[in-house]
Amino acid sequence: MIHVGTEQLLEHLMDEYGDAILRMCYIYLKDYQLAEDATQETFIKAMKFHDRFEHRASEKTWLSKIAINSCKNIMRTRWFKSYPVSLEDVKEHPHTDEINDLLEKDSVSGAISRLPSADKEVILLYYYQELSVKQIAEVLGKRENTIIQRLHRARKRLKCILMEVGYGE
């Protein structure tokens, strides 16, 4: 049974962070339906464990950590490993309009999806979730200096990928 306060909390979290979490999960997983699953799992876990949320970090930081872990859990499954998804598959995807809207037809998103997992995480958290280096360090359980180095490396790799595809010419 869901309490009225619980429904209001869920509505608040989804209204405030739902689109950003879905976008991050999509870029992470490269599959719209898996991203929806990860987003749903994120909010289910958030509701289930909200009473344990200690408010030492922001809700956004906390939800981002849950979402990243949900994406990683999906990526660990045998099915995910045997089902390679490329950006070309998106053209035939039944949710193409939604995906295009979600990514705003941005080739940067495609380039981000080509980054190694660790680089992708910091880019998504920094630019898409607009978390600070300190918040990213909390989400990933790393030192701030490590995050600064990862962010620097990820930006360099992203720039190379974008130059390969002719972005910004």
Side-chain angles (χ1 to χ4, degrees), residues 9 13 45-47 50-51 59 68 90 111 119 121 123 132:
L9 175 63
L13 292 175
K45 286 179 181 176
M47 295 310 301
H50 194 269
D51 60 327
E59 284 180 333
I68 293 255
V90 169
D119 293 347
E121 283 176 347
I123 292 291
S132 68

Side-chain angles (χ1 to χ4, degrees), residues 2 5 11 25 28 36 44 61 74 103 108 110 123 126 129 138 147 151 153 157:
I2 296 178
E11 190 173 319
C25 290
Y28 206 93
E36 285 180 325
I44 289 170
T61 302
I74 288 171
L103 297 176
V108 175
I123 292 291
Y126 189 79
Q129 297 295 49
E138 290 173 21
I147 300 304
L151 195 52
R153 181 185 65 224
R157 286 182 176 158

Side-chain angles (χ1 to χ4, degrees), residues 32-151:
Y32 188 80
Q33 289 162 329
L34 290 176
E36 285 180 325
D37 291 347
T39 301
Q40 183 177 16
E41 183 178 328
T42 298
F43 287 106
I44 289 170
K45 286 179 181 176
M47 295 310 301
K48 186 174 180 180
F49 299 109
H50 194 269
D51 60 327
R52 297 182 194 169
F53 177 49
E54 297 175 2
H55 299 280
R56 286 187 280 176
S58 69
E59 284 180 333
K60 186 176 190 176
T61 302
W62 180 62
L63 287 170
S64 296
K65 183 173 187 170
I66 296 170
I68 293 255
N69 288 334
S70 295
C71 290
K72 286 180 178 179
N73 288 341
I74 288 171
M75 292 175 73
R76 282 188 198 108
T77 65
R78 182 174 292 155
W79 178 87
F80 185 85
K81 290 177 182 176
S82 66
Y83 181 74
V85 177
S86 68
L87 291 176
E88 288 75 37
D89 295 338
V90 169
K91 294 175 187 166
E92 301 301 321
H93 196 281
H95 295 283
T96 301
D97 291 338
E98 293 173 48
I99 293 168
N100 286 338
D101 290 344
L102 187 65
L103 297 176
E104 302 170 359
K105 298 178 183 166
D106 191 357
S107 63
V108 175
S109 300
I112 292 170
S113 71
R114 292 176 51 193
L115 290 171
S117 184
D119 293 347
K120 190 183 321 181
E121 283 176 347
V122 294
I123 292 291
L124 291 173
L125 292 171
Y126 189 79
Y127 290 104
Y128 282 79
Q129 297 295 49
E130 299 176 348
L131 298 181
S132 68
V133 168
K134 182 178 180 178
Q135 290 171 318
I136 296 169
E138 290 173 21
V139 168
L140 299 178
K142 305 288 183 191
R143 294 181 30 228
E144 287 182 47
N145 285 340
T146 302
I147 300 304
I148 290 168
Q149 290 172 349
R150 277 189 181 182
L151 195 52

